[in-house]
Amino acid sequence: MNGEGVFARAYARALYGAAAARHEEANVTQDVLALERQWNGSPELRLFCRRHLQGSPGNRAAVVQKIWGATFTRTLISFLEMMAQRDHLSLLPSVIQQYQKMDDRAQGCSDVRITFAAEPDEGQIGLIRRQVADAFGPIMKVQTQVDPALIAGVRFFVNDKRVDASLAGRLARLRYGLSKPMQPGVAAS
Amino acid sequence: MNIQLKPDEISALLRRQMQMVDRPVDVAEVGTVLSVGDGIARVDGLSNVMYNELVETEDGVAGLALNLEEDSVGIAILDDVTRVREGDLFRRTGRVVSVPVGRALEGRVVDALGRPLDGKGPVISDDMMPVEGFAPSIIERKNVCEPMQTGILAIDALTPIGRGQRELIIGDRKTGKTTLAIDTILNQAGTGVRCFYVAVGQKLSTVAALHKLLVEHGAMSYTTIILSNASEPAPLQYLAPYTGCAMAEYWRDRGGHALVIYDDLTKHAQAYRQMSLLLRRPPGREAFPGDIFYLHSRLLERAAKLSDEKGGGSLTALPIVETQANDISAYIPTNVISITDGQIFLEAGLFHEGQRPAINPGISVSRVGGDAQVKAMKQTAGPLRVLLAQYRELEAFMRFSSDLDANTLEQLSVGRSLMRVLRQAPNQPVAVHKQVAVLYAGTQKALVKVPDNRVPDVVKALYEAVDTRESGQAYTARFNAKPVMDDELKGMLNELIEETVKKYRKS
C-alpha cells in the first residue's frame, strides 16, 4: 500500500472509532459529507490544505479552529486539529473516501460499480440493481460508466465480488485457458 | 519422438479445450493491487480470502495469500513479479497451492509449483496434492524398522538411517554434504525407493552438474528434482521443500517408500526471513520471524513410517543445514537438530585431512536408526564407535608422548586402519554385505599388519573378492539368506579375509 493510502485508512479508522465511541456516527457522517462538499466547492480550501502549514503544531490547530470551529461537531474538529498538527490536511479527500467506505460497510450498503460496453438504458441498470439487491441486500450505492473496450455485455463489481459478463472478459478467459497445458479431466480455469 | 497429428484431431482437441474454459459469465472475488515490490503485493479487497490460499491475476500470475490484515492482504508472488502492476486485480481460486504428483514426475526437473524446467513437455498427472499437508498422527505411525541403506560405510555402520527417519546432514560449506545425499540417492537403485531432491537457493550450474551425475548413473529414472534456484523469488524458495514433501507423500500414502532431500534448510530459512520481513512481520532472533521453528518442524514431521494398517509406506527426510565455522549451536542448526532423529556432522578439519566422508563419529548420532540396522551390521559395527573414540583420544595423547607401550600402539594401529576403512570415494555406494565384510576385517584387527597406505587396496580387493571368489559368493548367498553374524558367517568371513589380506601384510 502506498504511504498516502496507509495514512488515510489509519486516519479514517481513528475518526470512525472516535465517532462510534461517542455515539455520534450519524452527526460525524453528516459533517464528513459537508466537509467533502466544501472541499469540492472551494479551490481556496484545496489550495490551503495542500500547502505545507507553517508555524508550531499549536498554531496549526488554531488555524483549523478559525476555519471550521463553528461548523462541525467537536469530534471532527479535534480530528482536523490533529491532522493539521501533523501537516496531513492534504490527505483529506482520501480520508473522506475511506471513512465513507467504512460507514457504508457498517450500514450494510453495497458499493456497486457497473461498466457497460454501450450507453445503458434504465431497464438494464434496474435489472442489475434487482439482482444485487437479491444477493446483497437493498441498500447500495451505484456508479455506472461506459467502456467500449468491453466490446459487448457488462461487468460490475459489488464490493469485492466481480461479475464479468462482457465479451472482452470472455475472450480474455479463453486466451488464458487455451494458453495452459491440457490436463486430462481438469478444466483449466 | 515422432508425433503425427491430424488437423481434425487438433480441431477436436481445441474445441474440447474451449468448451472446458469458455464461461459466458465469470463471478470472482477480487482485490486490487495497492503496491507491489520485492515479490510482495499488498492488495485491497479479497475480504474472504483464506490463509495460504492461491490467488491469481488476470494474466495467470500466481500468488500466495500470507498476511490477512484489517486493511489489506499481503500476497507473496510466485511468478514473475514484473508482470504485476499497481491496480491489477488478484482473484481468489478457493484452493491452496497444489502440485502434480505420481509417476509423471519420475525423471523430471520441476519448479516449486510443479512446472517443468527440463524441456520435456508438460507434466501431465491425474493426481494433485496440496503442498501443505498434515503430518500423520501417532496411531498412523510405526517405529522405524526397515533400513534405508545409504551405501556409505561410515553412515550405515555408525549412524544408520531407517525408512521414515529424519536425519540431518550438517557441516560447513564444501565438506561433502550434498555428495552424501546424492550417494544415498544412487544407492536406492532397484530398491523401489522414490527419491526427491529439493534444491533451495542453489546455483543452477551446481544443480545441472548433479542432474548430469544422476543421469549418468541411471538414477534419474526414480528421482525428481525440485529446483528453486538462487535467482528465483523468495516465495518460491520457501515453497520448494513443501512441494517436494507433497510429491514424496504421494508414495508414502500408497504404501511406497520415498526419500526426500532438502538442500538446504539454511537457505530456506533465509528465504522465509526475507519474505517475512517484506510482509512486515515482527523480526526475532537474527531477524528470523517468530515461527521459524514451526517452518521446519511442520515440514519434517511429515516424514514418517506408516503403520501396516496404513499401508506401511515411509517417507525418509535428509535435511541439510550449513554451518559457519563448525558452529552447530547457531539458531537454525539447533532448531533442526532438535526436530530431527539424529545428525551426521561433517567436519571441515577431517575433510582437509583427507578423511572423506568427513563424518565426525563423536558428534554424529542416529537416535532411531539402530532399530532398523541390518543385524549383521549392528553386530559388526558395535565396537566401532568405542574403538574410534579410543583412537581419537590416544591420537591426541600421542602428540605429547613418544614412549608408548605395545598395547597403545596396537590401539592406534587399529584406529588408523578403521579410519582408512571408513574412507570412501564419492558416487560409489557399497552394498551392505560388502560393508560388513570390510568392517569385520577392521574391527577384528585383520588390517593392523597392513601398511596404512595399502589399506585402500585391501578394501578394494576385499570388495572384488566378495563378488568374484567362490568363498565370497558363498558368503554373499549366506548373508542374503540370513544377515546375522553367527559362527558360520564369521567363519566364512575369516576365510575370505585371510585369503585376501595375506599378500598385503608387512613382511
Side-chain angles (χ1 to χ4, degrees):
Chain A
M1 194 184 302
N2 57 30
E4 186 175 319
V6 172
F7 278 123
R9 274 173 186 255
Y11 275 125
R13 213 166 40 226
L15 178 60
Y16 197 82
R22 294 172 189 179
H23 305 292
E24 290 180 353
E25 293 102 318
N27 291 341
V28 171
T29 304
Q30 289 295 327
D31 285 356
V32 167
L33 289 173
L35 184 62
E36 188 187 21
R37 281 195 296 276
Q38 278 187 18
W39 179 274
N40 291 334
S42 167
E44 294 82 11
L45 181 66
R46 291 201 292 271
L47 196 66
F48 169 75
C49 290
R50 281 174 182 153
R51 248 182 16 197
H52 283 294
L53 297 182
Q54 302 298 315
S56 66
N59 287 346
R60 294 183 206 162
V63 172
V64 167
Q65 270 293 344
K66 206 176 280 181
I67 302 173
W68 288 299
T71 330
F72 297 139
T73 54
R74 185 65 222 150
T75 307
L76 186 58
I77 292 297
S78 303
F79 175 75
L80 291 169
E81 282 176 358
M82 184 185 68
M83 285 188 78
Q85 282 169 355
R86 287 165 172 76
D87 198 8
H88 277 164
L89 282 178
S90 60
L91 299 178
L92 267 179
S94 309
V95 175
I96 291 168
Q97 196 186 2
Q98 294 295 337
Y99 180 91
Q100 285 173 340
K101 267 191 184 175
M102 281 179 197
D103 190 50
D104 287 347
R105 209 170 294 160
Q107 307 293 330
C109 174
S110 303
D111 175 28
V112 184
R113 289 158 288 150
I114 315 172
T115 309
F116 291 95
E119 203 60 54
D121 56 34
E122 281 306 313
Q124 288 171 319
I125 299 173
L127 183 67
I128 292 174
R129 269 180 175 278
R130 279 195 297 280
Q131 286 179 343
V132 172
D134 287 347
F136 296 92
I139 311 169
M140 67 183 84
K141 275 186 183 172
V142 180
Q143 295 170 28
T144 58
Q145 60 174 354
V146 174
D147 182 3
L150 294 188
I151 307 173
V154 64
R155 176 189 291 161
F156 61 95
F157 289 84
V158 185
N159 302 326
D160 285 353
K161 281 244 168 16
R162 186 193 62 182
V163 179
D164 188 355
S166 70
L167 190 55
R170 194 170 170 183
L171 288 172
R173 288 193 293 278
L174 262 178
R175 180 176 65 87
Y176 176 55
L178 290 173
S179 69
K180 281 185 159 184
M182 286 180 74
Q183 298 276 342
V186 179
S189 58
Chain B
M1 194 162 53
N2 185 20
I3 298 175
Q4 286 188 330
L5 283 174
K6 292 174 189 164
D8 53 338
E9 280 179 0
I10 297 173
S11 316
L13 276 171
L14 280 173
R15 205 171 296 124
R16 209 179 70 210
Q17 179 85 336
M18 282 176 73
Q19 279 167 358
M20 284 162 73
V21 299
D22 188 18
R23 294 187 309 277
V25 180
D26 176 60
V27 182
E29 196 174 319
V30 295
T32 312
V33 175
L34 298 170
S35 69
V36 60
D38 301 313
I40 302 293
R42 298 217 155 253
V43 171
D44 179 34
L46 295 173
S47 48
N48 296 317
V49 74
M50 297 179 291
Y51 178 71
N52 248 346
E53 184 177 334
L54 190 71
V55 289
E56 278 181 344
T57 64
E58 307 285 85
D59 290 340
V61 177
L64 201 58
L66 285 177
N67 263 28
L68 311 184
E69 294 166 20
E70 197 175 346
D71 290 338
S72 62
V73 178
I75 289 174
I77 297 170
L78 301 171
D79 274 312
D80 183 7
V81 72
T82 57
R83 284 166 59 201
V84 181
R85 282 159 301 188
E86 194 177 324
D88 280 0
L89 293 180
F90 266 104
R91 56 180 288 160
R92 285 185 61 186
T93 61
R95 56 190 161 87
V96 292
V97 182
S98 301
V99 289
V101 292
R103 283 195 186 279
L105 284 155
E106 285 175 349
R108 302 301 303 264
V109 182
V110 294
D111 73 359
L113 293 173
R115 296 175 299 200
L117 296 172
D118 50 9
K120 291 181 182 170
V123 175
I124 297 176
S125 171
D126 292 339
D127 298 302
M128 302 282 282
M129 276 184 78
V131 295
E132 291 273 4
F134 288 107
S137 66
I138 303 169
I139 49 166
E140 290 172 333
R141 289 174 187 252
K142 187 182 173 185
N143 280 351
V144 168
C145 58
E146 292 169 80
M148 162 71 66
Q149 296 295 341
T150 64
I152 300 158
L153 177 56
I155 295 178
D156 291 337
L158 290 166
T159 52
I161 301 170
R163 286 181 178 175
Q165 189 177 338
R166 303 154 301 171
E167 183 80 2
L168 170 66
I169 301 173
I170 185 169
D172 278 9
R173 57 183 293 278
K174 293 282 169 197
T175 50
K177 302 184 293 298
T178 303
T179 306
L180 284 193
I182 295 298
D183 282 3
T184 308
I185 291 180
L186 297 183
N187 199 48
Q188 304 314 311
T191 60
V193 176
R194 263 81 178 195
C195 301
F196 297 85
Y197 178 77
V198 183
V200 183
Q202 294 203 32
K203 288 181 286 187
L204 278 174
S205 57
T206 311
V207 182
L210 287 178
H211 177 248
K212 188 165 170 262
L213 182 83
L214 291 172
V215 170
E216 281 170 1
H217 284 80
M220 270 313 282
S221 58
Y222 55 88
T223 304
T224 306
I225 296 178
I226 297 97
L227 169 62
S228 182
N229 69 73
S231 71
E232 286 186 10
L236 279 179
Q237 294 185 38
Y238 152 74
L239 212 55
Y242 299 100
T243 300
C245 191
M247 290 171 177
E249 275 177 334
Y250 174 84
W251 296 107
R252 181 200 67 188
D253 296 345
R254 281 154 184 78
H257 300 285
L259 166 71
V260 60
I261 289 152
Y262 305 113
D263 193 359
D264 66 69
L265 291 189
T266 314
K267 291 195 184 74
H268 182 235
Q270 285 165 355
Y272 188 59
R273 172 171 65 184
Q274 179 188 329
M275 231 170 68
S276 298
L277 291 173
L278 290 168
L279 284 165
R280 299 182 194 163
R281 291 180 179 175
R285 181 177 161 186
E286 291 175 30
F288 286 109
D291 61 346
I292 193 77
F293 186 88
Y294 178 57
L295 174 82
H296 290 148
S297 63
R298 75 173 193 267
L299 171 72
L300 293 169
E301 272 300 303
R302 290 159 72 178
K305 167 74 185 159
L306 295 186
S307 63
D308 295 335
E309 293 76 39
K310 281 279 168 186
S314 72
L315 197 170
T316 312
L318 294 181
I320 293 177
V321 162
E322 188 180 299
T323 54
Q324 304 289 330
N326 287 334
D327 180 15
I328 58 166
S329 62
Y331 191 23
I332 301 303
T334 45
N335 273 358
V336 184
I337 284 171
S338 69
I339 295 164
T340 50
D341 305 312
Q343 71 276 346
I344 297 163
F345 180 59
L346 300 175
E347 203 176 281
L350 285 173
F351 187 86
H352 297 307
E353 282 168 22
Q355 183 65 34
R356 297 173 195 180
I359 296 171
N360 180 328
I363 306 177
S364 303
V365 290
S366 174
R367 296 191 188 102
V368 296
D371 298 343
Q373 204 170 16
V374 175
K375 191 90 184 278
M377 175 61 96
K378 197 171 186 174
Q379 290 166 313
T380 313
L384 187 60
R385 195 177 282 275
V386 177
L387 288 171
L388 288 174
Q390 283 172 347
Y391 166 68
R392 285 173 81 85
E393 199 176 315
L394 288 172
E395 194 195 22
F397 177 69
M398 195 180 70
R399 292 171 211 262
F400 304 104
S401 170
S402 57
D403 195 15
L404 301 169
D405 60 79
N407 191 27
T408 309
L409 284 172
E410 194 198 54
Q411 278 187 338
L412 278 167
S413 183
V414 171
R416 254 197 311 272
S417 65
L418 281 173
M419 288 300 276
R420 288 268 175 182
V421 162
L422 293 179
R423 288 184 188 183
Q424 193 171 335
N427 313 323
Q428 290 173 18
V430 179
V432 62
H433 66 283
K434 291 184 185 175
Q435 290 178 342
V436 170
V438 168
L439 207 57
Y440 184 78
T443 53
Q444 295 304 308
K445 303 175 186 175
L447 305 177
V448 171
K449 287 183 181 166
V450 175
D452 284 348
N453 59 348
R454 302 300 308 275
V455 172
D457 297 331
V458 179
V459 171
K460 201 175 162 191
L462 209 48
Y463 287 154
E464 279 173 11
V466 171
D467 281 337
T468 54
R469 284 202 193 156
E470 203 175 310
S471 55
Q473 285 162 355
Y475 157 75
T476 306
R478 165 63 178 75
F479 187 97
N480 290 337
K482 191 182 171 195
V484 177
M485 194 55 83
D486 51 16
D487 290 340
E488 187 193 2
L489 203 65
K490 280 180 189 172
M492 292 171 119
L493 270 177
N494 285 332
E495 187 189 335
L496 185 68
I497 290 164
E498 186 54 32
E499 280 172 20
T500 314
V501 173
K502 63 184 176 195
K503 66 175 177 180
Y504 293 94
R505 287 205 180 110
K506 292 174 206 167
S507 53

